[in-house]
Amino acid sequence: MSHPHPELGAPPALPKDALRVIPLGGLGEVGRNMMVLEHRGKILVIDCGVLFPEEHQPGVDVILPDFTYLKDRLDDIVGVVLTHGHEDHIGGVPYLLKLRNNIPLIGSRLTLAMITAKLKEHRIKPTTIEVVEGDHRDLGPFGCEFIAVNHSIPDGLAVAVRTTAGLLLHTGDFKMDQFPLDKRLTDLPAFARLGAEGVDLFCTDSTNAEVPGFTTAEKDLAPAIETVFRTAPGRVIVSSFASHVHRIQQVLDSAHRNKRKVAFVGRSMVRNMDIARQLGYLDVPRGLVVDVKELAKLPDRKVTLVCTGSQGEPMAALSRMASGDHQIRIGDNDTVLMASSLIPGNETSISRVINGLTRRGADVVHKGNAKVHVSGHASAGELVYCYNLVKPRNVMPVHGEWRHLQANADLAIATGLDPEHVPVVDDGVVVDLQDGQVRVVGKVRAGYVYVSAGNVGGVTEESLRDRVTLSQEGIVTVLALIDIDTGKLVEPPEFLTRGLGADDSLFDDAIPSIEKALAAAASDGVGDPIDLEKRIGRAVTQWAGRKHRRNPLVIPVVVEA
């Protein structure tokens, strides 16, 4: 089994009869899904999503895949296939289209409507190709066939890609709900038919690979959601991803049955639900949904708010409510229904949000204490079922953290695949399919690209570390007046501290360390103020760590005397 080797170099030239597969996002994290397929000089992209930031990434709006590999090849891109309308699969599209705005977007009706509305905010009018399950489209040397899959949003598609190098089947996000709300099943007969034709590379959703058995049906949530609406004494505030149409349908149905009015809060929530309603994917009883201002006139027991963050993520809105800086003020008698999945790795911040909401008087209903969420992803039983049905020659797990990818690979191997035919790879690792065999051949850049205040790539890992340091460890400015001839301090340096909870004089004890650093600089023949600043900064940082186990951001300023 191939593990990502840091020593992997740039990939060699692609043989004419091979298919190159490069995940630029989504392998190693849950989000920013993006896969690049390369064949006969042309490129097909599957999905282009974003990742939502975590606490150690302050001031970041969203995180993009790194498009560096594509920048010199933009004209070779024949299209971007979008498997469904979730942000972690379409959110990066505006940023890719800013590099070339006429790359065709291929997807189902709802997916294209969602991305078109999002692009409008970026002032981009896209070239779109609408497809339905069963459609075939030739995009350059890639023959694409689209297959219905069931997920937590309507209109999801898997894509089969035929090339002269072989047949690749990419599931997108999927599960095998046997009682879907929209009656649209994952098309297992199509999977079986493709298996009989011969699937050379099967790329499967790994998000739930660690979970045994089969994913619970969406309709099984109805009783728990109904209980919340029937028993809540005051307002019901539902937090959900802005694209989770199936879940919101259940909320609307329960609100209607319990004679409540509903308002959507959050720009992306309002926009997406409007699109879903117009296209007939969301059934909204007449008079049920009202403007948020209308709710103020109603008694609390008649009120339901469905909200999300500005980017469509539920945690942002909830954490602002928990800290009291959201337009929705949480109080006694409020019931908060957390109806969305909680992204792996965010457990600590979620726990803090639940505590904050509870402290403000809310009753918080979440998947830990009620059956109000089911995953949109296939569990281990469903994945094994698919491996036995498709009988692929090679499997490459996609979509998930390392442990999810590994668990998925183990399932494929358990069904009889040779581990050599199941590469487990990270973002940026290049896999070639040739003569029915996959090989790891290299690595390309695939780091995180941060969007902060609309600026792409301006924030780096280093500046994020500084932001975290500032918020946690404080800041120290060291003002040093130095005689340039001798390289010595003319007078004791001044220390100005912020956020350290200590007196400025605390740092007077660091002066000997600064003098020692300056003496070393003089003996090295260094007199340049910028070099001296670096040495002073290093000396004070080391002193603070040694003496006080603190790691403040140190800003040295040298003034020549």
Side-chain angles (χ1 to χ4, degrees):
M1 194 170 312
S2 341
H3 288 270
H5 305 293
E7 69 273 11
L8 279 173
L14 178 63
K16 200 173 79 161
D17 57 343
L19 171 68
R20 180 157 286 174
V21 180
I22 310 173
L24 288 183
L27 274 69
E29 70 264 305
V30 176
R32 67 175 205 135
N33 298 289
M34 182 175 185
M35 180 178 276
V36 169
L37 303 183
E38 199 175 331
H39 183 57
R40 295 186 175 266
K42 296 295 180 186
I43 287 172
L44 178 70
V45 178
I46 300 176
D47 290 328
C48 182
V50 293
L51 181 66
F52 292 123
E54 293 181 31
E55 287 183 315
H56 61 275
Q57 294 153 334
V60 172
D61 303 328
V62 289
I63 303 163
L64 299 175
D66 189 331
F67 302 143
T68 304
Y69 182 74
L70 297 174
K71 277 185 179 151
D72 298 333
R73 307 272 316 267
L74 292 169
D75 291 337
D76 296 335
I77 302 173
V78 293
V80 179
V81 170
L82 301 171
T83 57
H84 63 284
H86 279 153
E87 281 298 301
D88 59 335
H89 292 259
I90 67 169
V93 170
Y95 302 95
L96 181 62
L97 292 195
K98 280 174 186 171
L99 303 179
R100 182 191 141 202
N101 63 9
N102 64 343
I103 299 172
L105 306 180
I106 302 94
S108 63
R109 195 168 165 220
L110 179 63
T111 307
L112 290 180
M114 285 184 166
I115 189 58
T116 301
K118 180 185 259 307
L119 285 165
K120 203 170 180 180
E121 294 180 7
H122 291 264
R123 297 187 175 79
I124 297 171
K125 193 173 183 346
T127 303
T128 58
I129 299 170
E130 189 179 309
V131 293
V132 296
E133 52 264 32
D135 278 358
H136 291 253
R137 282 281 188 287
D138 285 337
L139 301 163
F142 305 95
C144 296
E145 179 185 344
F146 300 93
I147 300 129
V149 290
N150 167 254
H151 186 40
S152 52
I153 184 173
D155 250 8
L157 294 168
V159 59
V161 183
R162 290 179 178 84
T163 68
T164 55
L167 169 60
L168 174 144
L169 175 56
H170 191 300
T171 63
D173 281 358
F174 87 112
K175 59 177 173 174
M176 286 160 47
D177 193 334
Q178 299 304 301
F179 304 100
L181 295 184
D182 59 0
K183 309 284 191 285
R184 188 170 172 274
L185 294 157
T186 290
D187 189 351
L188 296 176
F191 277 25
R193 172 174 53 77
L194 290 161
E197 181 183 329
V199 170
D200 296 288
L201 182 55
F202 194 18
C203 298
T204 51
D205 176 10
S206 308
T207 314
N208 253 9
E210 288 185 307
V211 181
F214 280 60
T215 300
T216 312
E218 186 83 32
K219 74 174 180 61
D220 290 354
L221 303 184
I225 292 174
E226 185 68 23
T227 301
V228 168
F229 277 87
R230 200 179 61 247
T231 60
R235 300 184 301 176
V236 176
I237 294 142
V238 180
S239 113
S240 169
F241 281 105
S243 47
H244 208 331
V245 179
H246 290 327
R247 194 67 42 81
I248 290 162
Q249 181 68 65
Q250 303 219 60
V251 166
L252 294 182
D253 292 346
S254 274
H256 186 55
R257 274 194 296 273
N258 290 280
K259 298 185 173 50
R260 287 173 173 270
K261 297 287 186 192
V262 177
F264 295 123
V265 182
R267 193 182 69 229
S268 42
M269 178 67 79
V270 172
R271 183 187 69 208
N272 285 354
M273 291 310 119
D274 210 29
I275 291 165
R277 177 165 48 176
Q278 282 172 18
L279 297 182
Y281 293 96
L282 194 66
D283 177 28
V284 183
R286 187 186 297 257
L288 174 67
V289 173
V290 297
D291 188 78
V292 121
K293 297 184 191 74
E294 291 290 303
L295 294 186
K297 304 169 191 167
L298 297 172
D300 282 357
R301 68 177 189 286
K302 297 285 183 193
V303 169
T304 303
L305 291 149
V306 180
C307 67
T308 196
S310 60
Q311 304 279 350
E313 76 288 27
M315 280 312 293
L318 271 190
S319 57
R320 283 174 50 212
M321 283 179 218
S323 62
D325 94 22
H326 192 279
Q327 65 188 85
I328 300 170
R329 299 275 167 191
I330 299 294
D332 293 341
N333 281 345
D334 283 340
T335 301
V336 176
L337 173 59
M338 295 172 72
S340 269
S341 63
L342 309 173
I343 292 165
N346 286 4
E347 290 80 6
T348 315
S349 57
I350 287 154
S351 170
R352 187 164 57 249
V353 166
I354 292 172
N355 280 321
L357 293 167
T358 309
R359 183 179 287 127
R360 289 179 181 275
D363 178 16
V364 185
V365 181
H366 54 92
K367 72 173 188 180
N369 62 15
K371 197 168 184 181
V372 290
H373 170 71
V374 295
S375 175
H377 305 270
S379 296
E382 289 148 276
L383 292 168
V384 167
Y385 194 108
C386 287
Y387 293 138
N388 287 330
L389 191 67
V390 175
K391 296 189 171 57
R393 291 193 180 93
N394 303 277
V395 166
M396 180 169 148
V398 295
H399 304 171
E401 294 177 0
W402 188 260
R403 62 199 180 102
H404 306 129
L405 302 174
Q406 187 64 59
N408 196 357
D410 292 342
L411 296 173
I413 292 161
T415 66
L417 271 149
D418 183 324
E420 284 302 307
H421 293 257
V422 189
V424 179
V425 301
D426 252 338
D427 294 337
V429 173
V430 181
V431 175
D432 283 358
L433 171 70
Q434 191 177 18
D435 303 326
Q437 172 70 57
V438 287
R439 282 192 351 270
V440 172
V441 297
K443 200 170 196 310
V444 302
R445 251 176 69 172
Y448 283 7
V449 174
Y450 299 101
V451 180
S452 181
N455 173 17
V456 179
V459 173
T460 61
E461 295 286 350
E462 191 180 356
S463 56
L464 277 182
R465 274 197 299 276
D466 285 349
R467 285 181 183 187
V468 171
T469 302
L470 278 170
S471 62
Q472 293 175 350
E473 299 277 4
I475 181 168
V476 183
T477 305
V478 186
L479 192 60
L481 191 62
I482 291 177
D483 182 333
I484 281 304
D485 296 332
T486 64
K488 289 183 177 174
L489 290 165
V490 174
E491 55 185 53
E494 266 189 77
F495 298 96
L496 307 165
T497 65
R498 291 291 299 276
L500 277 147
D503 198 293
D504 291 353
S505 62
L506 171 80
F507 278 82
D508 290 348
D509 291 348
I511 294 172
S513 299
I514 293 172
E515 288 170 338
K516 196 170 163 189
L518 291 173
S523 70
D524 291 346
V526 172
D528 178 59
I530 291 171
D531 285 328
L532 294 179
E533 282 177 354
K534 280 183 186 161
R535 291 188 180 224
I536 291 171
R538 202 158 45 234
V540 174
T541 301
Q542 286 168 352
W543 175 86
R546 206 168 51 241
K547 277 281 191 195
H548 297 284
R549 301 205 170 172
R550 296 292 292 269
N551 183 28
L553 183 68
V554 178
I555 301 175
V557 179
V558 166
V559 179
E560 298 176 38

